[in-house]
Amino acid sequence: MKRYLPILLAASLSLTGCADLLEPEVENLPGKDAMYKEVTFAQGFLLNGYTRLPGLPFNDVATDDAVSNDKNNAFLKIATGQWTANYNPTDQWVNSMSAIQYLNTMLAEVDKVTWATDPRAAQMFRDRIKGEAYGLRAFYMFQLLRAHGGWASSGELLGVPILTKPQDTNSDFNQSRATFEACMQQLYSDIKQAEELLPLDYEDVTSASQIPAKYSGISPEEYTRVFGQYSRLRLTARIAKAIRAQAALLAASPAYRTGTTTTWIDAANHAGEVLKLVGGPARLAANGGTWYDNRTEINNLGAGINPPEILWRGDASNSRNLEEDNYPPSLFGRGRVNPTQNLVDAFPMANGYPITAAASEYRAQSPYTNRDPRLQRYIVVNNSTLGPSNTVIRTETGAGNDAVNQIETSTRTGYYLRKLLRQDVNLNPIGANQQRHYTARIRYTEIFLIYAEAANEAWGPDGQGSFGFSARDVIRAIRQRAGIGANNGDAYLASVQTQADMRQLIRNERRLELCFEGFRFWDLRRWNEKLTESANGIRITNGNYSIFPVENRSFTAHMNHGPIPYGEMLKWKSLVQNKGW
């Protein structure tokens, strides 16, 4: 994507006049007709869809997994009672609707653009551009449904207005919300179109046998020009399939399933289709749990290549922002995201048993001994080491600024974040450095967990559908990778026999594997789980460990679904608000 940055920046500057969906003023674009012959300008409409792709939201601090020491943190505010239709940090309306406006413009105009002088190459460019636009439009529909879909007072499950054509000054902006089901069907239709138009991956070809039959007669050089490695990091048919699995999981979940026709079987099949392409649980990336700090792998990324764990990612670049925000004060960081005792307690013992089980051998006054190795991979606990010099981080009372509530950048819970941070970043002004990071948009572990959840609900713990592997097989592979049950064959997993017990185990594994990546906020809601569990911390004084409440949660029942923005409700009388907002 960085090859397109100069084009993107130029296009973005020229398109500022239509940034607001509700006043697109397409006629104010400098010579829209010029796009038909200026490919770089035309590309800007599509690339706008890429620049709006969301990054890490850190909305975990509005769940039972984390708090923030930043009193101005937006997610802290909504967790403690300030979430309204007029103040909504989870809002996706403006960003996603604006992206859809650009994508619809691209789809409406793509056939008029002179993509290449060779008509065969021009057709391939049109196909690729259309496929990307359809796939991205489906992605933004998923974002909108997750953030704004919900039940109206009438008892109907609603989505958002379905817009498939660009809007201009003659358009009727007063559009009502379509049903959630209609939105899902539009999403599925867009995904199907993307699959038909896009390659599974962007790869150079060297022989005619590698070229799809629909492009018969095209030379390998011509095909590679459009669908080769140069286009990596753009949307592909493989990514489109994964987006469909994400959306199907949402629709099949308890908070939505009575208002849609998407079933758990559908969700399992969509995820299974993606996983079958990589060989199932046996091909789970061995180092996928630490994708963010696999330094050699990250440093050697090039030409848009994905590591084995990653299905879709952003470009890699040098930075230290995550470390500046989340290293403890002793390492010159702000310690912003503080994992909770609630999350720490969710990690099982190394033998696989939950800490509440009699067979776990858990000791409350030695709480980090013989635990799931992921605990200290993802969370800095007392006496953990962190940073390029393996500095010991002490959070017990009297240990200095890293201890609980010592200064404004100290932890509030007794824990600091390790996950997502590179341990070779140095923030010391003497020798400060940056390291390469990238955003993982879709990880294969997420798709495996989608399959496990849906397959268990569809067929039970050991049902395999048509894929040859079960929910239990997936969870076994994930726990083995984590280092759980190495000495006892994961006896706890073997003891889980009922669908209900497997459901709880899968949900817990999802909580651990995907922590701090922006999932739990939405997972709790689609599961209809309790939203008001107090966020707790640990206080260590003279070797004694005591749990204490850190922050209460002030969510109410209607907050299982987010609101339609208040400003949109004021402008358009046809919009119906979700119940309770």
Side-chain angles (χ1 to χ4, degrees), residues 114-390:
T114 305
W115 297 106
T117 55
D118 182 337
R120 296 178 301 178
Q123 184 58 51
M124 288 190 294
F125 273 114
R126 282 193 289 270
D127 287 350
R128 197 199 74 198
I129 296 295
K130 287 178 182 178
E132 291 178 77
Y134 282 123
L136 287 169
R137 192 167 72 180
F139 173 83
Y140 285 108
M141 176 61 81
F142 169 56
Q143 298 296 306
L144 286 165
L145 291 177
R146 188 171 64 172
H148 302 290
W151 297 91
S153 297
S154 64
E156 190 174 26
L157 181 62
L158 298 178
V160 297
I162 296 176
L163 304 174
T164 58
K165 296 180 180 179
Q167 294 178 297
D168 59 28
T169 52
N170 296 316
S171 297
D172 179 8
F173 291 93
N174 190 29
Q175 296 292 311
S176 60
R177 297 170 65 188
T179 65
F180 194 97
E181 172 65 10
C183 291
M184 286 297 301
Q185 293 306 318
Q186 179 62 50
L187 183 152
Y188 289 148
S189 174
D190 282 350
I191 291 294
K192 183 179 179 182
Q193 299 241 46
E195 288 180 290
E196 291 173 353
L197 292 166
L198 295 173
L200 190 64
D201 301 295
Y202 294 111
E203 299 293 346
D204 294 352
V205 302
T206 56
S207 69
S209 63
Q210 298 171 280
I211 299 173
K214 65 180 178 179
Y215 298 127
S216 177
I218 297 291
S219 71
E221 293 77 17
E222 288 175 310
Y223 182 83
T224 294
R225 177 187 173 191
V226 181
F227 295 111
Q229 295 181 15
Y230 186 82
S231 296
R232 283 176 176 167
L233 299 186
R234 287 173 173 253
L235 200 132
T236 64
R238 187 190 299 268
I239 294 168
K241 293 174 189 290
I243 294 169
R244 181 172 56 198
Q246 292 176 318
L249 180 74
L250 180 75
S253 295
Y256 301 92
R257 64 186 174 203
T258 58
T260 77
T261 59
T262 300
T263 66
W264 286 117
I265 293 176
D266 294 328
N269 285 338
H270 294 324
E273 183 180 343
V274 178
L275 299 178
K276 196 170 183 178
L277 294 171
V278 295
R283 299 297 299 274
L284 183 72
N287 64 350
T290 53
W291 60 270
Y292 52 89
D293 195 29
N294 295 334
R295 299 171 203 174
T296 300
E297 185 176 80
I298 296 171
N299 292 341
N300 291 330
L301 284 177
I305 295 173
N306 283 332
E309 168 65 10
I310 304 301
L311 196 155
W312 191 21
R313 68 174 176 88
D315 204 359
S317 61
N318 288 327
S319 70
R320 56 172 180 249
N321 296 336
L322 284 170
E323 291 75 22
E324 287 175 339
D325 278 343
N326 294 294
Y327 269 2
S330 65
L331 294 179
F332 303 93
R334 302 184 186 96
R336 290 306 193 206
V337 177
N338 307 153
T340 60
Q341 186 65 39
N342 314 55
L343 177 58
V344 169
D345 287 347
F347 287 88
M349 300 298 288
N351 65 12
Y353 285 91
I355 64 171
T356 54
S360 71
E361 301 179 359
Y362 171 74
R363 292 180 293 160
Q365 294 304 312
S366 184
Y368 314 126
T369 303
N370 295 326
R371 295 293 293 276
D372 177 345
R374 289 174 295 188
L375 172 56
Q376 295 212 39
R377 287 180 196 148
Y378 296 163
I379 297 174
V380 177
V381 306
N382 187 45
N383 288 324
S384 290
T385 59
L386 184 68
S389 299
N390 290 319

Side-chain angles (χ1 to χ4, degrees), residues 17-53:
C18 66
D20 184 351
L21 172 69
L22 299 178
E23 296 181 6
E25 298 182 337
V26 176
E27 76 282 4
N28 284 345
L29 290 173
K32 190 186 74 168
D33 290 349
M35 71 183 292
Y36 304 145
K37 293 184 179 180
E38 296 179 18
V39 172
T40 56
F41 179 72
Q43 286 256 25
F45 286 88
L46 177 67
L47 294 177
N48 194 280
Y50 284 103
T51 60
R52 292 178 182 275
L53 292 170

